């Protein structure tokens, strides 16, 4: 496995007490594969990713347990200096908001070129040529001219391509894309997602794609991990989860996707809100919102039950959900 997160725990000290943002998350991705991490806002998707990348703010964050194995080596045990070498060269991250991740006073060409001068010791001239190549590769029309422009001169979709180019520059083995298309309109979303999927295949990278939108992952992901209140509640190959979810929360997410073939149908919404992470409900954290909940759910926390050979569900009643 290229990346394997094992039983990760991350907390934040807040005014209301300890917020358990990540509560025993385990997931993994192989080279050439895409793992989609799905869940409502506040479920711990980004904090898990930041911990993997080594960019978690400590404090207020605190890693209280677990391992992040990258090619078998636990990144949590590395010194910050070693960590920095891994970041960028071996793994890179793409964020939702390109405008705040790019430097507004440098041309995009200079920012791309800097990857090569700083990390690869290239001459400025060679680095500039590579910057144009990269912009071509992420399909920015007129790269030779546009390399001299500043981030604000690009549309949202084009800026996201520049972020992808920056992440790809050193040909990392793993890319984590945290809601890379959330800020874009639907057509541009699809184009950026296609680009990311093409590059991932071409370079045989592992890709972790974080999103709150099940609709965007169907065509690009191999596996899905669904998060709720800092835990993984379901993991499965993507086609299986679409066929039949084994967790009521996943079912709720699936039922809330707008579908072209059911125009006019009222969209389902999961009732209620995710819990505060300083006061996660006992038993199954989803029980206050779950249509299948019964007494045992309020007292006994479900483990991640093995469902067949390839799936897991943290629901006492996964059978019922699966065959419903
Ligand atoms: N810098 C921070 N300070 C305090 N709490 C934080 C911080 N970052 C994240 N958290 C807590 O962790 C929870 C999960 O956040 P996050 O991983 O960003 O969720 P998401 O699934 O939307 O990416 C938040 O709801 C919040 O309680
Ligand atoms: S364990 Fe109970 S409350 Fe939790 S998802 Fe399953 S049925 Fe719902
Ligand atoms: Mg997030």
């Amino acid at each position: 496995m290229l990346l394997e997160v094992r039983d990760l725990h991350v907390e934040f000290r807040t005014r209301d007490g300890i917020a358990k943002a990540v509560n025993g998350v385990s997931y993994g991705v192989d080279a050439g594969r895409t793992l989609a991490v799905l869940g409502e806002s506040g479920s711990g998707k980004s904090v898990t990713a930041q911990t993997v990348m080594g960019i978690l703010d400590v404090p207020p964050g605190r890693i209280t347990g677990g391992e992040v194995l990258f090619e078998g080596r636990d990144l949590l045990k590395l010194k910050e200096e070693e960590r920095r070498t891994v970041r960028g060269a071996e793994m890179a991250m793409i964020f939702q908001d390109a405008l705040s991740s790019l430097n507004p006073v440098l041309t995009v060409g200079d920012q791309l070129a800097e990857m090569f001068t700083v990390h690869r010791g290239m001459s400025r001239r060679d680095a500039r040529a590579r910057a144009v190549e990269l912009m071509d590769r992420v399909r920015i029309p007129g790269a030779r001219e546009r390399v001299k422009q500043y981030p604000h001169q690009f549309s949202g979709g084009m800026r996201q391509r520049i972020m992808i180019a920056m992440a790809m520059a050193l040909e990392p083995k793993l890319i984590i894309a945290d809601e890379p298309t959330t800020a874009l309109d639907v057509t541009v979303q699809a184009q950026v997602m296609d680009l990311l999927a093409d590059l991932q295949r071409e370079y045989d990278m592992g890709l972790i794609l974080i999103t709150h939108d099940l609709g965007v992952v169907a065509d690009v992901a191999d596996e899905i991990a669904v998060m709720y209140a800092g835990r993984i509640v379901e993991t499965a190959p993507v086609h299986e989860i679409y066929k039949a979810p084994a967790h009521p929360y996943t079912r709720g997410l699936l039922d809330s996707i707008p579908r072209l073939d059911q125009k006019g149908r009222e969209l389902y919404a999961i009732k209620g809100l995710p819990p505060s992470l300083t006061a996660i409900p006992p038993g199954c954290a989803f029980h206050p919102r779950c249509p299948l909940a019964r007494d045992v759910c309020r007292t006994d926390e479900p483990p991640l039950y093995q469902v067949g050979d390839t799936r897991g569900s943290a629901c006492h009643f996964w059978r019922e959900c699966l065959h419903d």
Side-chain angles (χ1 to χ4, degrees):
M1 195 103 348
L2 177 64
L3 174 83
E4 202 180 346
V5 174
R6 283 194 192 154
D7 199 24
L8 188 67
H9 291 257
V10 182
E11 307 179 336
F12 290 91
R13 240 169 247 281
T14 73
R15 237 179 300 158
D16 305 328
I18 304 258
K20 296 193 168 175
V22 180
N23 280 301
V25 164
S26 300
Y27 65 47
V29 66
D30 267 317
R33 306 283 287 179
T34 297
L35 169 73
V37 180
L38 206 81
E40 284 163 297
S41 179
S43 52
K45 307 181 298 294
S46 295
V47 171
T48 307
Q50 288 158 8
T51 309
V52 170
M53 278 299 292
I55 55 170
L56 181 76
D57 279 331
V58 180
R62 202 157 71 97
I63 301 164
T64 53
E67 294 173 309
V68 175
L69 303 174
F70 185 71
E71 297 184 314
R73 162 165 95 127
D74 188 358
L75 298 183
L76 299 182
K77 297 213 170 83
L78 297 187
K79 296 199 185 71
E80 179 48 34
E81 217 178 288
E82 300 168 296
R83 208 61 221 268
R84 224 173 296 138
T85 325
V86 174
R87 199 157 54 230
E90 308 225 39
M91 54 168 75
M93 195 153 166
I94 298 164
F95 301 92
Q96 175 177 334
D97 183 5
L99 204 50
S100 65
S101 311
L102 295 168
N103 186 335
V105 301
L106 286 183
T107 65
V108 301
D110 282 345
Q111 292 180 66
L112 289 169
E114 198 180 273
M115 299 294 290
F116 301 112
T117 52
V118 171
H119 294 274
R120 292 286 139 88
M122 278 189 194
S123 71
R124 278 184 64 80
R125 195 198 155 93
D126 289 348
R128 284 203 146 265
R130 290 299 296 275
V132 174
E133 259 174 55
L134 263 178
M135 284 175 71
D136 268 334
R137 198 167 300 159
V138 295
R139 304 176 201 151
I140 295 177
R144 200 166 291 283
E145 303 311 315
R146 300 210 74 182
V147 75
K148 297 172 198 131
Q149 295 184 326
Y150 293 89
H152 74 267
Q153 294 174 288
F154 290 80
S155 68
M158 287 297 154
R159 264 198 306 266
Q160 215 53 8
R161 288 168 194 263
I162 294 164
M163 282 278 286
I164 294 173
M166 299 269 286
M168 295 287 306
L170 305 179
E171 300 188 8
K173 296 172 183 156
L174 174 72
I175 285 197
I176 303 181
D178 192 352
E179 312 252 7
T181 63
T182 300
L184 307 175
D185 71 47
V186 178
T187 355
V188 182
Q189 254 184 29
Q191 292 163 358
V192 171
M193 204 54 85
D194 283 348
L195 170 69
L196 203 51
D198 288 350
L199 290 170
Q200 180 263 332
R201 273 189 291 268
E202 191 182 332
Y203 291 89
D204 204 34
M205 293 182 298
L207 174 64
I208 297 180
L209 179 63
I210 299 173
T211 171
H212 64 272
D213 183 356
L214 238 178
V216 306
V217 302
D219 299 330
V220 294
D222 299 298
E223 310 276 331
I224 290 191
V226 181
M227 283 189 75
Y228 189 76
R231 290 200 172 84
I232 304 274
V233 294
E234 180 163 10
T235 61
V238 69
H239 56 275
E240 293 189 23
I241 229 166
Y242 277 89
K243 242 189 297 171
H247 194 286
Y249 179 61
T250 314
R251 161 149 307 191
L253 292 177
L254 273 171
D255 288 345
S256 19
I257 309 175
R259 285 173 46 173
L260 287 175
D261 57 337
Q262 296 182 5
K263 251 197 189 143
R265 183 187 69 129
E266 206 174 312
L267 267 189
Y268 174 84
I270 303 170
K271 68 169 188 187
L273 292 171
S276 156
L277 299 177
T278 52
I280 297 176
C284 172
F286 188 55
H287 83 250
R289 307 174 72 189
C290 181
L292 296 184
R294 52 208 85 169
D295 285 346
V296 61
C297 303
R298 291 176 249 283
T299 50
D300 294 12
E301 189 186 324
L304 194 71
Y305 295 105
Q306 181 81 35
V307 177
D309 293 336
T310 51
R311 310 180 55 167
S313 166
C315 172
H316 295 303
F317 302 103
W318 63 265
R319 277 194 187 81
E320 205 172 304
C321 184
L322 194 60
H323 301 299
D324 191 11

